[in-house]
């Protein structure tokens, strides 16, 4: 079987600025070449120096005070590398072959399991920072791509591009935060490296050690700035949680646990998880090590969800029936894989954990992507992942762009739609968002393929169907009016007024009673702002006078204005008045739909 993550496959070409690179997730599981790391800053203090033969373990005990279990780790020849007391999970290191059996006999310790069949790398004790690649400017301009039109994201943008108060975590190989299409929406304050299972908050620790995470981030929220591409939810914020290790590029259980706990503690409404937890393609509960992995990651996901975070995950790229598991010949992938018989009790994590939205991939049109895993009762929804000549085009490190195919590319489309749902329904819980993703999905019938079982409404290839971004933002039909937009930046200075014009022509008669005014303002304290629409004859329509104590960043909203007394054609203006000092910003873009 192939990994979920297409970075485990050698890239067939790399993109120069304005050109296409393709990475098709349909080849053998080759390891990627990683970018050379930058010179390290002072690394975080660690529990001990690295020694050959050191292995990592999850020690699981009751949530709360883990002092007794941590003391037992030390007493039995181990060191505590990290501890997640809220979920009762300790990440321990030991070079002793008797460590796990000894710890399993300790009172109060519920489970102990090795998280890998290889040594913990030396980099865990002195982590190198990933490279900060030089950026190439692009001459590419945004256009409606097949994957975005297929889920009606282009129509959703006429309603809203998402809220800057919604944070989406990309748990992946890292993200190039300097990329011209990602930088406007990047949230460095909540970005981190969780490689090796411990948060590394140094600036840049979150950067991409490959290309995969940057591609995923662009699909979710590439800025609507006239350059390159547009993400599904270009108004939300992206945070990078790097969980891939150097130099292997693998995603071990302790890294995933760190990532989910971070997501919960830092207010991520959605996380995207285009990977499986290495080294086991499937973790089986009758194996003590794998049982501990299942429980540790399960607790971390449940913790994140309890804090309001929904996890979205890729189903995998092996054309494998997850509802009828029989064999696994790819594990463990950090040493020597063996072929083993498995059953449905063995689970692919995080995608098969309770509460996680499992995403299958579609090609262009209502078709299953040839590589996509499937399974009746396992797949929740589907989204474009690319196939053959039709890849998903998105951002790559260094200001570049390129195509990739995979369920890794389908999952971020769903994460983006989930972010739109959270934007227009701020009170929604993860369960609410899951339910709406399902109920709003477009039913997609099984093809003439005996492997696809179920009904048109819910089947093994597409689950509840293909996600619908337009329905997510409250629309059921495409906007019927003519659309006008100005994407030029206009600075908003302290105690000053800024205006951005749109010239409307070719519209007969007056404006509608439900004129839609889409606003994208980047500002560090919107309580300073008064936002108005100015008609061609000078009439001012107040859109919103924000409360003085509203310290939220940015404005990403669509207003409805009764402008039926106004002639449609002419120059309309968005007027933004800043009423205080210290915080500034810009009109990033705005639009009118007649």
């Amino acid at each position: 079987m192939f990994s979920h993550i297409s970075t485990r496959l050698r890239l067939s070409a790399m993109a120069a600025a304005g050109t296409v690179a393709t990475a098709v997730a349909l080849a053998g599981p080759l390891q990627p070449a990683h970018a050379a790391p930058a010179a390290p800053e002072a690394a975080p203090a660690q529990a001990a120096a690295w020694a050959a033969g050191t292995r990592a373990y999850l020690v699981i005990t009751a949530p709360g005070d883990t002092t007794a279990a941590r003391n037992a780790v030390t007493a039995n020849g181990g060191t505590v590398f990290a501890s997640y007391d809220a979920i009762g999970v300790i990440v321990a290191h030991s070079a002793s072959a008797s460590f796990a059996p000894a710890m399993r006999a300790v009172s109060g310790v519920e489970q102990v399991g090795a998280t890998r069949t290889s040594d913990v790398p030396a980099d865990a004790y002195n982590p190198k920072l990933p490279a900060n690649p030089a950026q190439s400017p692009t001459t590419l301009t945004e256009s409606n791509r097949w994957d975005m039109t297929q889920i009606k994201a282009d129509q959703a943008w006429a309603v809203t591009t998402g809220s800057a108060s919604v944070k989406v975590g990309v748990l992946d190989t890292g993200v190039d935060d300097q990329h011209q299409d990602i930088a406007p929406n990047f949230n460095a304050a909540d970005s981190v490296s969780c490689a090796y299972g411990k948060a590394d908050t140094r600036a840049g620790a979150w950067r991409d050690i490959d290309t995969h995470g940057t591609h995923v981030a662009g699909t979710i929220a590439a800025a609507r700035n006239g350059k390159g591409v547009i993400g599904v939810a270009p108004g939300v914020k992206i945070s990078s949680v790097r969980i891939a290790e150097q130099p292997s590029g693998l995603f071990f259980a302790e890294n995933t646990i760190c990532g989910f706990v971070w997501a919960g503690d830092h207010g991520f409404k959605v996380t995207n998880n285009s990977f499986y937890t290495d080294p086991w393609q499937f973790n089986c509960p009758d194996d003590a090590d794998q049982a501990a992995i299942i429980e540790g990651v399960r607790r971390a996901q449940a913790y994140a969800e309890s804090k309001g975070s929904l996890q979205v995950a890729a189903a995998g790229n092996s054309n494998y029936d997850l509802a009828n598991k029989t064999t696994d010949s790819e594990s463990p992938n950090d040493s020597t894989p063996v072929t083993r018989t498995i059953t449905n009790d063995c689970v692919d994590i995080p995608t098969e954990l309770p509460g996680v939205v499992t995403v299958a991939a579609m090609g262009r049109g209502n078709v299953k992507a040839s590589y996509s895993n499937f399974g009746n009762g396992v797949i929740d929804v589907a989204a474009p992942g690319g196939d053959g000549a039709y890849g998903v085009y998105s951002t790559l490190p260094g200001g570049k762009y390129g195509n990739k195919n995979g369920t890794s590319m389908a999952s971020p489309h769903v994460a983006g739609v989930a972010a739109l749902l959270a934007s227009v329904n701020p009170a929604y819980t993860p369960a609410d968002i899951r339910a709406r993703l399902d109920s709003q999905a477009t039913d997609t019938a099984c093809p003439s393929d005996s492997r696809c079982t179920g009904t048109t409404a819910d089947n093994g290839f597409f689950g509840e169907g293909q996600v619908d971004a337009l329905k997510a933002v409250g629309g059921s039909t495409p906007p019927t009016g003519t659309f006008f937009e100005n994407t030029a930046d206009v600075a908003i200075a302290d105690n000053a007024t800024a205006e951005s014009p749109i010239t409307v022509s070719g519209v007969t008669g007056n404006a509608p009673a439900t004129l839609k005014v889409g606003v994208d303002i980047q500002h560090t304290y919107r309580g300073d702002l008064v936002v108005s629409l100015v008609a061609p004859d000078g009439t001012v329509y107040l859109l919103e006078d924000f409360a003085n104590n509203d310290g939220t960043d940015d404005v990403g909203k669509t207003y409805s204005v009764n402008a039926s007394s106004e002639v449609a054609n002419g120059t309309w203006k968005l007027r933004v008045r800043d009423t205080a000092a210290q915080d500034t910003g810009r009109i990033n873009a705005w639009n009118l739909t007649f």
Side-chain angles (χ1 to χ4, degrees):
M1 294 179 66
F2 305 140
S3 158
H4 284 191
I5 184 166
S6 61
T7 50
R8 306 238 179 106
L9 312 168
R10 194 177 306 278
L11 302 183
S12 61
M14 287 300 297
T19 62
V20 175
T22 303
V24 182
L26 298 173
L30 302 177
Q31 297 297 331
H34 296 309
E41 295 180 7
Q46 302 293 353
W50 179 83
T54 299
R55 297 293 172 91
Y57 299 87
L58 298 182
V59 177
I60 297 177
T61 186
D65 185 356
T66 64
T67 302
R70 286 186 276 114
N71 289 340
V73 167
T74 303
N76 285 281
T79 58
V80 175
F81 188 77
S83 182
Y84 299 96
D85 289 11
I87 59 173
V89 175
I90 298 164
V91 180
H93 288 178
S94 180
S96 170
S98 63
F99 177 77
M103 285 300 300
R104 289 175 185 138
V106 172
S107 176
V109 171
E110 299 171 7
Q111 291 179 277
V112 178
T115 64
R116 55 187 83 203
T117 63
S118 58
D119 289 358
V120 174
D123 192 64
Y125 293 89
N126 187 24
K128 301 176 183 67
L129 287 177
N132 184 8
Q135 299 295 315
S136 300
T138 185
T139 57
L140 294 170
T141 56
E142 295 167 345
S143 60
N144 288 340
R145 308 191 314 278
W146 73 269
D147 54 316
M148 295 298 167
T149 61
Q150 188 160 303
I151 63 168
K152 301 178 185 175
D154 57 327
Q155 297 172 23
W157 301 329
V159 180
T160 182
T161 56
S163 169
S165 65
V166 171
K167 294 187 283 190
V168 181
V170 177
L171 278 60
D172 215 294
T173 62
V175 174
D176 178 8
D177 55 303
Q178 304 297 311
H179 194 290
Q180 61 215 340
D181 242 345
I182 292 175
N185 292 335
F186 192 77
N187 173 24
D190 293 307
S191 294
V192 71
S193 170
C194 272
Y196 317 111
K198 187 174 187 176
D200 179 353
T201 59
R202 291 176 298 163
W206 59 71
R207 291 197 174 114
D208 207 335
I209 62 169
D210 194 76
T211 62
H212 188 271
T214 301
H215 194 278
V216 164
T219 298
I220 296 169
R224 197 177 182 197
N225 56 4
K227 304 173 183 177
V229 298
I230 310 173
V232 176
V236 306
K237 293 296 184 182
I238 284 290
S239 301
S240 172
V241 181
R242 178 169 68 87
I243 57 172
E245 296 185 0
Q246 297 189 89
S248 68
L250 298 181
F251 299 65
F252 292 99
E254 58 266 38
N255 312 359
T256 307
I257 290 167
C258 172
F260 284 160
V261 172
W262 182 272
D265 287 342
H266 289 261
F268 295 176
K269 289 295 289 186
V270 183
T271 72
N272 185 81
N273 305 272
S274 291
F275 64 94
Y276 70 78
T277 301
D278 299 300
W280 304 99
Q281 177 99 44
F282 300 104
N283 286 272
C284 300
D286 59 356
D287 178 281
D289 292 328
Q290 294 165 45
I293 291 172
I294 295 170
E295 179 62 13
V297 179
R298 185 200 66 77
R299 288 190 185 190
Q301 133 58 22
Y303 176 83
E305 183 166 345
S306 74
K307 295 286 189 176
S309 178
L310 175 72
Q311 278 54 253
V312 178
N317 302 331
S318 304
N319 196 22
Y320 190 92
D321 188 351
L322 296 175
N324 293 285
K325 301 185 184 84
T326 56
T327 59
D328 172 17
S329 60
E330 300 279 333
S331 306
N333 64 3
D334 67 334
S335 55
T336 304
V338 296
T339 299
R340 57 181 181 148
T341 300
I342 62 172
T343 69
N344 285 346
D345 290 335
C346 303
V347 290
D348 181 341
I349 59 176
T351 198
E352 288 191 274
L353 290 177
V356 175
V357 177
T358 304
V359 182
M362 302 177 74
R364 187 176 187 183
N366 294 328
V367 295
K368 172 188 174 294
S370 58
Y371 53 80
S372 181
N373 285 356
F374 56 98
N376 195 10
V378 179
I379 302 301
D380 291 308
V381 290
D387 204 7
Y390 292 99
V392 173
Y393 194 68
S394 187
T395 48
L396 296 174
K400 300 176 184 179
Y401 299 84
N403 284 308
K404 292 182 186 286
N405 295 345
T407 55
S408 285
M409 285 62 254
S411 182
H413 285 87
V414 177
V417 174
L420 291 176
L421 276 164
S423 296
V424 296
N425 302 282
Y428 271 11
T429 65
D432 292 331
I433 298 173
R434 275 197 306 271
R436 296 309 183 278
L437 286 171
D438 289 350
S439 64
Q440 294 174 351
T442 302
D443 291 343
T444 308
C446 282
S448 298
D449 188 327
S450 62
R451 299 174 304 161
C452 185
T453 60
T455 65
T456 297
D458 189 0
N459 58 64
F461 276 14
F462 310 110
E464 298 279 352
Q466 182 168 240
V467 292
D468 189 314
L470 182 60
K471 288 182 181 177
V473 298
S476 58
T477 59
T480 56
T482 306
F483 181 78
F484 299 86
E485 184 175 37
N486 186 344
T487 60
D489 290 352
V490 177
I492 304 170
D494 281 333
N495 290 302
T497 298
E499 291 186 340
S500 176
I502 289 177
T503 299
V504 174
S505 61
V507 179
T508 303
N510 285 7
T514 56
L515 177 65
K516 301 298 182 187
V517 186
V519 174
D520 179 4
I521 297 170
Q522 307 293 306
H523 197 277
T524 51
Y525 194 92
R526 70 183 188 189
D528 294 353
L529 303 182
V530 179
V531 183
S532 303
L533 175 70
V534 183
D537 67 356
T539 302
V540 178
Y541 295 86
L542 177 66
L543 300 179
E544 190 156 7
D545 183 351
F546 288 93
N548 292 340
N549 63 354
D550 186 345
T552 306
D553 289 351
D554 306 332
V555 182
K557 301 179 70 173
T558 297
Y559 300 90
S560 183
V561 175
N562 183 352
S564 57
S565 63
E566 305 290 343
V567 174
N569 291 334
T571 299
W572 298 73
K573 296 177 183 178
L574 182 69
R575 176 178 293 170
V576 181
R577 184 161 57 93
D578 186 306
T579 63
Q582 296 185 348
D583 290 272
T584 60
R586 70 181 187 274
I587 300 172
N588 193 52
W590 72 290
N591 58 68
L592 293 169
T593 304
F594 287 83

